[in-house]
Amino acid sequence: PQKIDYFPLSIGNEYQFVDEYSNYLFFKIEKDTVLNGHTYYYYPHEFYYCRTDSLGNLYSISRPFFGGKPTAKPDEYLLFKADAQVNEIWKVAWDYSPVIGIDTGYAQCIYADTGYIFGKYRKIKGVKIFDASYEYYIFFLAEDLGLVEDRYDILYTGGKLNYAKINNVIYGKLVGVNDKIPATLSYSLSQNYPNPFNPNT
């Protein structure tokens, strides 16, 4: 079967995300680097220097979420398995926090389905990044688009994809500064009524 491209990477690709507070984040892939015979693209939103292989798997050499000291010859970490089944778990990072006794981080496929995004039904997969004591991050990748939603600490929505230009194909609409609703410039505070703490609140 033809592989599904869950994370297209190319110089010039653009993305805009909007978070739960209507804050917009725009970024663009502007550089790459060759290391260990592979080209890694700098995707400046969580994955950093990353690449995909011929199977559609996503690797990073930046050790996102886990940190750890850099090495002279950086290892790469498998953040996303294109063929992962729901509940499948794989190792992502190791030897990253010996001080508190946690040395291995994992990823788990938590979602695999189809969704209607930017006018088309697309395959979507969700992955949870965690270790023995904490759940760090959840992200969702969609066919031909890449990252379409992420969450931090499980509850906080980091952002949802609002716009993308991928390989010169435009999805959604880019929101500029002039498109945003202006903030309120004045505030007032009135006495509460009824006042259960008569005479003072």
Side-chain angles (χ1 to χ4, degrees), residues 15-18 118 145 147-149 159-164 166:
Y15 310 86
Q16 184 180 63
F17 289 85
V18 57
F118 295 135
L145 296 174
L147 184 66
V148 291
E149 184 178 343
K160 293 184 178 182
L161 187 65
N162 174 71
Y163 157 87
I166 300 172

Side-chain angles (χ1 to χ4, degrees), residues 7-173:
F7 208 89
L9 292 168
S10 183
I11 295 290
N13 285 1
E14 299 177 349
Y15 310 86
Q16 184 180 63
F17 289 85
V18 57
D19 69 13
E20 58 190 320
Y21 304 108
S22 297
N23 297 312
Y24 289 86
L25 168 68
F26 173 85
F27 62 90
K28 184 176 183 178
I29 298 179
E30 297 183 301
K31 58 184 176 179
D32 60 16
T33 187
V34 176
L35 187 67
N36 302 333
H38 299 296
T39 300
Y40 295 87
Y41 296 89
Y42 188 72
Y43 184 92
H45 184 66
E46 304 309 340
F47 302 109
Y48 307 109
Y49 279 108
C50 58
R51 74 174 181 93
T52 55
D53 64 12
S54 61
L55 299 176
N57 301 317
L58 175 67
Y59 298 86
S60 176
I61 56 172
S62 301
R63 232 180 196 192
F65 322 117
F66 297 109
K69 63 182 182 179
T71 58
K73 185 179 179 182
D75 295 315
E76 62 178 15
Y77 304 94
L78 178 60
L79 298 178
F80 173 79
K81 285 183 67 177
D83 64 350
Q85 303 300 307
V86 173
N87 295 324
E88 182 178 347
I89 296 174
W90 60 94
K91 187 165 70 170
V92 175
W94 48 94
D95 298 329
Y96 68 90
S97 188
V99 175
I100 60 175
I102 300 173
D103 66 353
T104 307
Y106 300 93
Q108 179 181 17
C109 180
I110 60 169
Y111 182 87
D113 208 335
T114 301
Y116 194 73
I117 306 175
F118 295 135
K120 179 182 175 181
Y121 284 100
R122 304 172 192 274
K123 297 286 187 181
I124 303 171
K125 286 202 174 180
V127 173
K128 175 175 71 175
I129 303 292
F130 67 101
D131 62 24
S133 63
Y134 194 71
E135 296 183 354
Y136 292 91
Y137 185 65
I138 290 177
F139 63 91
F140 297 87
L141 304 184
E143 177 183 0
D144 300 326
L145 296 174
L147 184 66
V148 291
E149 184 178 343
D150 59 352
R151 302 174 190 167
Y152 302 92
D153 300 331
I154 306 308
L155 298 177
Y156 173 67
T157 300
K160 293 184 178 182
L161 187 65
N162 174 71
Y163 157 87
K165 184 171 80 171
I166 300 172
N167 298 324
N168 291 316
V169 178
I170 294 177
Y171 304 92
K173 180 183 177 184

